[in-house]
RNA sequence: GGAGGGAUGCCUGAGUGGUUAAAAGGGACGGACUGUAAAUCCGUUGGCUCUGCCUACGUUGGUUCAAAUCCAACUCCCUCCA
């Protein structure tokens, strides 16, 4: 193909967001000549999005910065059906109430990354339940059904893999791709949205939408996908000791979020800097060349930049400072996660295992006991040897608090009140 | 509607009357080594008021001194036939 001309696609390819495109040349021309409206859909299966969706969010942010219009499509309708892509089993059905709650939680994160409003390049958020809920079965089937070939649908990975693995796929799930295709056409009609972006696993769904638009209305639609993200050691992106790396502060603290990025594998630093920060490419090139322990500096810059975007400058700085005190100075920092317990309870004595369980450092008191037995539990930085140890006021440190640690990285402060 | 196969711990998957909280692998967590990395090695991996007790092999009931293992019914899934 010829040289890429548009600013957006230049950034998109240089930074490593590009996986596939339905027609890169034509799309490049569109981006160079006009304001393109593009959308990415998000399922409402949890109260917050997690790091796995961060790449899509960054893409919308970049799109807006390059002078185009992003649409955040909330899957209020499609979540009721459940995307079978990449799943061996049907999703459990989610109730309407839960979907609504999830959507409210997810909305919050976009305000941090995008500028919403009524201007030509302001982001908008729409909910596909607005049109999907109203569909009438027979008219919909008659109008759109003829454009879908079952033969073809069976060849899409989302369906094919299920059938090959001899897992069942219900008719409900089978319809997901039809609805997603219809979304695209609807967004084109309502908002002149001509581009759908998504992860590479969404390719089949996206292509369906592009074709449906062409067949029903003669639209010229485009599809663009980003690579599926895994860490260099092959693990799925977005897991940490405590579970998923949520983007909402009430699901995962800024400190833990910062820690997640700080713990990036060496081999991923450059890639993550390009994908998840806006640090200039020449600076990224310099950072990723650092060797050995020096690479840790790059990881801190990555963590700072990511945390700043998701939680704000102040929270990022606080998280970095807490980490510095905890790991580099070996001190007890105010910024660590904190649990308050009644002073009277501590005066009576409280088993260490129970306290570990209450902070969440251990899932159960049994697990806490095993942690102690295995030598991974510490009290004010001293190893706990007795799994039946009982803590009391005598265990408070000079500052009047107790620091509990599970392993080297997970710490908690217990404050008597 | 008919015939057959299946449902085991976070996941995959062995076990087909007692020594089974249940092999093995994966994942996860902890330890060692390091650089708050990876790889490697070691340990742990149902819960609790923990030398004991309680719950667990789809659900419910039964046989037995004893069941994940045998029987019956039910639920769900798969395959083939109509």
């Amino acid at each position: 193909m010829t040289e890429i001309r548009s600013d957006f696609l230049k950034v998109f390819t240089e930074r490593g967001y590009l996986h596939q495109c339905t027609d890169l040349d034509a799309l490049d021309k569109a981006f160079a000549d006009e304001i393109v409206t593009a959308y990415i859909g998000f399922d409402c299966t949890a109260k917050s999005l997690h790091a796995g969706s961060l790449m899509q969010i960054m893409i919308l942010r970049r799109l807006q910065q390059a002078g185009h219009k992003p649409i955040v499509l909330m899957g209020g309708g499609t979540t009721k059906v459940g995307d079978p892509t990449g799943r061996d089993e049907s999703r459990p059905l989610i109730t309407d109430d839960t979907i609504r709650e999830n959507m409210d939680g997810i909305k919050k994160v976009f305000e941090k990354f995008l500028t919403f409003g009524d201007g030509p390049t302001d982001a908008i958020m729409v909910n596909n339940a607005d049109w999907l809920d109203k569909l009438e079965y027979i008219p919909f089937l008659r109008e759109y059904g003829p454009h879908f070939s079952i033969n073809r649908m069976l060849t899409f990975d989302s369906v094919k893999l299920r059938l090959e693995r001899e897992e069942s796929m219900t008719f409900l799930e089978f319809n997901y791709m039809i609805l997603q295709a219809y979304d695209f056409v609807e967004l084109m009609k309502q908002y002149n949205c001509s581009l759908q972006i998504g992860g590479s696993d969404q390719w089949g769904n996206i292509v369906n939408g592009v074709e449906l638009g062409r067949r029903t209305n003669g639209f010229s639609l485009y599809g663009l996908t980003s690579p599926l993200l895994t860490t260099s050691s092959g693990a799925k992106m977005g897991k940490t000791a405590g579970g998923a790396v949520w983007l909402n502060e009430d699901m995962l603290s800024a400190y833990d979020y910062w820690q997640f990025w700080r713990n990036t594998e060496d081999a991923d630093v450059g890639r993550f800097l390009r994908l998840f920060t806006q640090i200039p490419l020449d600076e990224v090139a310099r950072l990723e060349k650092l060797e050995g322990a020096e690479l840790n500096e790059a990881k801190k810059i990555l963590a700072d930049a990511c945390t700043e975007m998701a939680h704000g400058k102040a929270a990022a700085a606080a998280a970095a400072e807490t980490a510095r005190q905890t790991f580099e100075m070996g001190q007890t920092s105010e910024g660590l996660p904190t649990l308050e317990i009644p002073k009277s309870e501590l005066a009576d004595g409280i088993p260490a295992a129970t306290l570990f369980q209450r902070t969440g450092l251990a899932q159960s008191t049994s697990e806490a006991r095993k942690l102690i037995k295995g030598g991974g539990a510490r009290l004010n930085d001293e190893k706990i040897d007795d799994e039946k140890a009982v803590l009391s006021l005598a265990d408070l440190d000079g500052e009047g608090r107790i620091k509990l640690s599970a392993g080297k990285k997970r710490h908690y402060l217990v404050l008597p009140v």
Side-chain angles (χ1 to χ4, degrees), chain A residues 81-147:
Chain A
V81 172
D83 186 358
T85 306
R87 303 195 120 239
D88 284 345
E89 287 166 21
S90 305
R91 289 172 192 273
L93 284 180
I94 304 176
T95 64
D96 290 5
D97 284 347
T98 310
I99 290 174
R100 212 167 302 123
E101 280 172 34
N102 291 346
M103 207 184 307
D104 289 342
I106 291 170
K107 277 178 184 170
K108 283 187 260 174
V109 84
F110 286 102
E111 285 155 19
K112 305 218 164 106
F113 287 83
L114 301 171
T115 307
F116 287 87
D118 298 324
T121 66
D122 283 341
I124 55 170
M125 181 176 283
V126 297
N127 180 357
N128 63 13
D130 290 348
W131 54 85
L132 294 180
D133 279 359
K134 290 187 299 207
L135 286 181
E136 292 180 307
Y137 196 56
I138 298 297
F140 179 77
L141 277 184
R142 279 180 66 89
E143 187 170 353
Y144 293 96
H147 300 290

Side-chain angles (χ1 to χ4, degrees), chain A residues 173-389:
Chain A
E173 297 172 275
F174 190 60
N175 276 270
Y176 185 89
M177 66 169 101
I178 294 177
L179 295 179
Q180 184 168 335
Y182 176 72
D183 277 348
F184 199 174
V185 176
E186 193 64 27
L187 285 170
M188 179 63 187
K189 284 182 181 165
Q190 288 190 30
Y191 302 100
N192 195 36
C193 173
S194 58
L195 172 65
Q196 179 179 183
I197 308 174
S200 58
D201 58 335
Q202 292 295 312
W203 180 251
N205 290 336
I206 292 173
V207 168
N208 262 325
V210 171
E211 289 182 4
L212 186 65
R214 193 186 61 235
R215 288 187 192 157
T216 54
N217 295 282
F219 293 147
S220 291
L221 303 178
Y222 304 100
L224 189 60
T225 57
S226 56
L228 202 66
L229 197 66
T230 53
T231 66
S232 289
S233 49
K236 248 185 220 149
M237 201 37 208
K239 287 281 177 186
T240 179
V245 182
W246 303 108
L247 301 181
N248 288 11
E249 172 103 48
D250 53 355
M251 301 277 284
L252 186 78
S253 70
Y255 169 74
D256 286 325
Y257 191 74
W258 193 93
Q259 280 296 315
F260 169 73
W261 294 106
R262 171 62 245 269
N263 283 308
T264 296
E265 293 174 25
D266 285 8
D268 291 325
V269 172
R271 199 158 52 108
F272 285 6
L273 281 168
R274 273 183 280 272
L275 292 172
F276 300 115
T277 75
Q278 304 209 82
I279 293 166
L281 287 174
D282 48 355
E283 174 71 357
V284 172
R286 186 185 72 79
L287 289 170
E288 72 178 333
K289 271 208 289 278
L290 295 173
E291 302 243 337
E294 289 189 345
L295 198 54
N296 285 336
E297 293 310 310
K299 293 183 190 181
K300 285 181 206 165
I301 290 169
L302 173 68
D304 283 343
C306 289
T307 309
E308 211 173 297
M309 256 187 289
H311 299 295
K313 211 165 185 124
E321 178 56 19
T322 299
R324 198 179 67 82
Q325 289 183 13
T326 306
F327 290 98
E328 292 174 29
M329 321 275 292
Q331 293 175 353
T332 303
S333 168
E334 301 294 336
L336 291 172
T338 302
L339 174 79
E340 297 186 339
I341 60 165
K343 201 164 199 157
S344 57
E345 210 180 326
L346 188 62
D348 293 342
I350 179 164
T354 304
L355 214 47
F356 268 94
Q357 183 266 120
R358 280 223 241 152
T359 57
L361 288 172
Q363 298 263 315
S364 63
T365 54
S366 292
E367 194 181 303
R369 276 194 206 95
K370 286 164 193 158
L371 185 73
I372 296 170
K373 222 185 278 181
R378 273 167 300 145
L379 163 69
N380 296 330
D381 298 317
E382 297 291 326
K383 191 166 135 192
I384 303 175
D385 291 315
D386 179 9
E387 62 177 285
K388 286 179 189 158

